[in-house]
């Protein structure tokens, strides 16, 4: 008690001492944050703020659950992720299904807010480096445009917000029309192009070319069938019944002018730079073409492939094995291999190709693959478009060295997704099939695995203790080239379309396209499909062309491979793919595991969630939901 009294008296004495000396110690700064004034007074801190705007890009397309699995490219192997809600058309404002694949409205607006802060503050920033200030402002305009283009292409016209909200403001704002959204995005990109002109190109950061490439994409979307009100209404009774069609399409204006504008935007990129190996005057050899497409997929991020292929990248998401946050669940980015690779490598078979994609790779002579052709049906993976071999792993395809506990079963490092006669009346289950002797819960349901974007370097082991640094291609040169081809076809410039389309064909080892009219358009659509597979284009392309009922609506086809012994042959032990020993039968079957796909025209657009509608009564719900 006495001690307590002494302490209290001591405190009182201190309190009564007049503080006539320096009072600066009272002006403390928080140690876990930086003031706004300090941020915009320092170039490095301003740059750090803009880097945080990039963070909303996530892993790019290298999330565990991929957009490919919402298309006729792939299916997602694992149940219970809400993907079926989207692919079966049962989604609604109260149940939007999987929230990891589709960029969510609220997440995109958080990103827009960060960009708006940078755009508001940078013009008045007090640090001296004007070049850096211009660059950061250009990047902020690009990023706002990118996030708005995501809002627009998934949801339609969004509320156009140019400044960050403060406290006690009216947050209710109606949605802009589709046309207003396009104009807003293009304005941002034009500002970015101007501000970033002459600035160094740094991997992972926006450049003038990034902005030009995104402008090309936005304008090609704006000219497409889905975004032309009269065309969309004629093709769909559901869209024709929309009372506010201007939220998702142009209802007035000159569509021909929109095509010409899109064509000019794409040609500006083609005139500004070049891609990778697009100057050939004849088809490359099959071997060279396969190596070329492996290099393009690696993007300079692997010891395998030509690092010059990164010339394709106009805007990418870079990766580093030092980003240890990515070791946490769910895995993404640096773990593309474990997410999607074969279960016979202890990988998880996430987004596996479906048969419809495999079938759309042509024969080397430029003819379509045909299951009714007995020669092709007996050897469906021979003599095909080399892009198939750089994109998809199939039964018998060579791959990386097996883990040590699997080498006794497969010392040949070949994909095994079939069942094979053992010579004693029984069968051997392939080590990479669903009923694998290694892991029988995470194998492919389709008979295929994706190869594209998985580091092909044998030294990179696909597991949680390893990592790959292959970049994600948000925008690449060949996408813009294809945009130019599409706009050239739409404007009647078929010679120009064939000229540029055949640059891609020759790089891929494929013969020139000589068709015209509807046949040329169909050839272009298929060329874009196989060239940009797994790059998050098919979802949007099928919708903007209004062919989704013929693509996603087809359901899922998968491959079943069986091998029987030839008469008098001795089985290979361990098993190895060998057409001289085995007769192989390839059977295409329907697959309804996890989901039974269908199509409803309401699926052309994602619904706004009920929470977002409730937050802002001026938000007009997407028609049809």
């Amino acid at each position: 008690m006495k001690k307590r009294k002494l302490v209290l008296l001591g405190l009182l004495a201190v309190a009564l001492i007049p503080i006539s000396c320096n009072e600066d110690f009272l002006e403390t700064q928080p140690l876990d944050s930086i003031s706004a004034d300090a941020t915009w007074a320092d170039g490095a801190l301003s740059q750090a703020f803009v880097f945080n705007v990039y963070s909303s890009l996530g892993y790019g397309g290298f999330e565990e659950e991929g957009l490919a699995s919402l298309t006729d490219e792939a299916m997602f192997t694992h149940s219970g992720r809400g993907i079926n809600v989207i692919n079966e058309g049962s989604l609604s404002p109260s149940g939007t299904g999987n929230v990891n694949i589709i960029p969510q409205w609220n997440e995109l607006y958080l990103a827009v807010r960060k960009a708006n802060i940078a755009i508001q503050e940078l013009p008045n920033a007090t640090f001296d480096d004007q070049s850096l200030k211009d660059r950061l402002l250009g990047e902020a305009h690009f990023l706002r445009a990118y996030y708005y283009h995501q809002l627009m292409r998934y949801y339609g016209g969004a509320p156009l917000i140019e400044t960050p909200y403060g406290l006690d403001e009216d947050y209710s704002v109606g949605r802009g029309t589709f046309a207003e959204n396009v104009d807003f995005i293009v304005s941002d990109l034009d500002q970015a192009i101007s501000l970033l002109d002459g600035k160094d190109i740094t991997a992972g950061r926006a450049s003038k070319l990034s902005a030009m490439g995104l402008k090309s994409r936005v304008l090609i979307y704006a000219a497409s069938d889905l975004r032309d009100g009269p065309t969309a209404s004629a093709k769909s009774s559901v869209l024709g019944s929309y009372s506010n069609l201007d939220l998702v399409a142009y209802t007035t204006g000159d569509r021909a002018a929109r095509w010409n504008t899109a064509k000019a935007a794409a040609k500006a990129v083609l005139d500004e730079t070049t891609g990778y190996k697009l100057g050939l005057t004849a088809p490359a050899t099959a071997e060279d073409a396969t190596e070329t497409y492996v290099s393009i997929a690696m993007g300079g991020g692997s010891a395998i492939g030509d690092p010059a292929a990164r010339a394709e990248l106009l805007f990418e998401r870079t990766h580093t094995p030092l980003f240890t946050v990515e070791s946490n669940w769910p895995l993404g980015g640096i773990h593309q291999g474990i997410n999607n690779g074969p279960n016979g490598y202890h990988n998880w078979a996430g987004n596996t190709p479906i048969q419809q994609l495999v079938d759309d790779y042509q024969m080397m002579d430029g003819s379509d693959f045909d299951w009714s052709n007995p020669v092709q049906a007996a050897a469906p993976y021979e003599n095909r478009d080399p892009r198939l071999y750089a994109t998809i792993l199939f039964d018998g395809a060579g791959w990386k060295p097996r883990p040590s506990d699997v080498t006794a079963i497969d010392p040949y490092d070949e994909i095994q997704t079939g069942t094979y006669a053992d010579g004693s009346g029984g069968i051997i289950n392939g080590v990479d099939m669903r009923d694998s002797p290694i892991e029988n819960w995470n194998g492919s349901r389709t008979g295929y695995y994706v190869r594209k974007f998985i580091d092909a370097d044998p030294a990179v082991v696909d597991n949680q203790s390893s990592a790959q640094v292959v970049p994600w291609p948000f925008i690449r040169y060949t996408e813009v080239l294809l945009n130019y081809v599409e706009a050239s076809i739409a404007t009647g410039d078929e010679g120009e379309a064939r000229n540029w389309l055949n640059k891609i064909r020759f790089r891929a080892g494929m013969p020139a396209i000589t068709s015209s009219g509807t046949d040329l358009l169909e050839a272009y659509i298929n060329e874009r499909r196989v060239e940009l597979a797994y790059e998050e284009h098919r979802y949007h392309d099928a919708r903007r062309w209004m062919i989704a009922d013929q693509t996603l609506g087809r359901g899922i086809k998968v491959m079943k491979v069986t091998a029987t012994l030839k008469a008098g042959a001795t089985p290979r032990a361990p098993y190895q793919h060998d057409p001289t020993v085995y007769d192989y039968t390839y059977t295409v079957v329907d697959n309804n595991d996890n989901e039974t796909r269908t199509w409803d025209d309401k699926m052309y657009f994602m619904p706004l969630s009920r929470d977002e509608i409730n937050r802002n009564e001026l938000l007009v719900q997407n028609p049809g939901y």
Side-chain angles (χ1 to χ4, degrees), residues 292-309:
T292 290
Y293 275 86
V294 169
S295 296
I296 290 173
M298 296 301 94
S302 170
I304 297 297
D306 181 2

Side-chain angles (χ1 to χ4, degrees), residues 467-489:
Q468 67 172 53
V469 293
V470 173
W472 169 258
F474 284 114
I475 307 169
R476 70 177 174 101
Y477 180 87
T478 303
E479 177 204 340
V480 179
L481 190 161
L482 287 163
N483 293 345
Y484 181 66
V485 170
E486 185 172 342
S488 295
I489 293 172

Side-chain angles (χ1 to χ4, degrees), residues 49-117:
F49 185 94
V50 173
F51 285 174
N52 188 45
V53 187
Y54 281 96
S55 69
S56 294
L57 294 169
Y59 300 131
F62 289 153
E63 302 287 350
E64 185 195 4
E65 298 149 23
L67 190 62
S69 289
L70 301 185
T71 76
D72 58 347
E73 291 178 337
M75 77 171 291
F76 193 69
T77 295
H78 313 300
S79 303
R81 306 293 182 89
I83 291 173
N84 64 303
V85 174
I86 300 173
N87 285 343
E88 293 171 2
S90 56
L91 70 174
S92 70
S94 300
T96 56
N98 184 283
V99 296
N100 298 321
I101 299 176
I102 303 293
Q104 298 298 294
W105 181 276
N106 61 322
E107 295 169 349
L108 291 168
Y109 268 107
L110 285 173
V112 166
R113 174 177 169 77
K114 290 188 289 186
N116 278 339
I117 292 172

Side-chain angles (χ1 to χ4, degrees), residues 146 149 153 210 212-221 266 269-270 275 278 312-315 473-487 504 507 524 528 531-532 535-537 540-541 544:
Y146 188 89
H149 118 281
R153 65 178 180 166
S210 306
M212 293 174 70
L214 183 57
K215 181 178 178 179
S216 168
R217 179 189 296 175
V218 169
L219 292 173
I220 207 75
Y221 280 31
V269 177
L270 304 187
L278 288 165
E312 278 283 307
L313 300 173
L314 302 185
F315 183 51
F474 284 114
I475 307 169
R476 70 177 174 101
Y477 180 87
T478 303
E479 177 204 340
V480 179
L481 190 161
L482 287 163
N483 293 345
Y484 181 66
V485 170
E486 185 172 342
I504 302 173
R507 179 176 71 181
Y524 162 75
R528 186 176 176 106
E531 175 71 24
L532 300 180
E535 295 185 34
E536 295 198 333
H537 292 284
H540 301 288
D541 287 344
R544 67 186 182 86

